[in-house]
Amino acid sequence: MFVENTRPNSLVVGSYVFHGGLTEVDKKAFDSHLKANGLKKSFEDLVEHGHVTVIGGEPKLTKAMVEKTYDLELLKKFKAREDNSSVVKGAIKKQIDLLDLPTEDK
C-alpha cells in the first residue's frame, strides 16, 4: 500500500517516516506496527485530518504526486511502469534528476 503525505514536512509514525509525497509500505507489517505500538488511533487521526492519504494497490500516478515524492527508489520503480502518460514520465525523470546525487568519476 502507499501512504501519501500531503503536508510540506515529514511525519513520523513510530519507526515509519513519511516524507512529502508517496511512501510505499507493507500493509500487513504497517498495521501490525500501529497496533503493537498503540499508534492506530494517531494514524487514523492523521488520515481524518487530511495530513496523509492511504492508497491501496498501485496508484494512478499524477504529475503532482511525482513532484512531491522524495523516495528515489520508489521513483525508479514508477519509471519502469508502462502505464505512465508522457507528462508523468517527464515529471519522474525531472524528479529523479533533481534527487539523484552526482557520482565522482574516477
Side-chain angles (χ1 to χ4, degrees):
M1 88 175 181
F2 292 86
V3 175
E4 181 181 9
N5 178 3
T6 60
R7 300 184 46 90
N9 58 324
S10 296
L11 295 171
V12 177
V13 179
S15 62
Y16 288 83
V17 178
F18 300 105
H19 301 292
L22 295 173
T23 302
E24 186 174 25
V25 296
D26 179 88
K27 181 176 177 22
K28 188 174 180 180
F30 183 65
D31 288 344
S32 295
H33 178 75
L34 292 178
K35 187 174 181 181
N37 294 292
L39 298 169
K40 189 168 177 65
K41 176 69 173 129
S42 297
F43 186 73
E44 288 171 352
D45 287 345
L46 289 172
V47 172
E48 183 180 323
H49 290 107
H51 300 306
V52 296
T53 304
V54 177
I55 303 168
E58 288 290 320
K60 175 81 170 118
L61 293 178
T62 65
K63 181 181 176 193
M65 283 175 150
V66 170
E67 289 174 339
K68 293 186 290 184
T69 300
Y70 294 95
D71 183 338
L72 190 56
E73 293 306 313
L74 185 57
L75 288 166
K76 289 177 181 177
K77 181 179 172 184
F78 288 157
K79 185 178 179 182
R81 288 175 47 174
E82 295 181 12
D83 65 340
N84 293 327
S85 69
S86 59
V87 171
V88 170
K89 286 177 185 176
I92 292 170
K93 182 183 181 329
K94 183 177 178 182
Q95 192 72 354
I96 288 173
D97 290 346
L98 179 74
L99 298 174
D100 205 10
L101 294 175
T103 57
E104 187 175 322
D105 293 332
K106 293 185 177 189

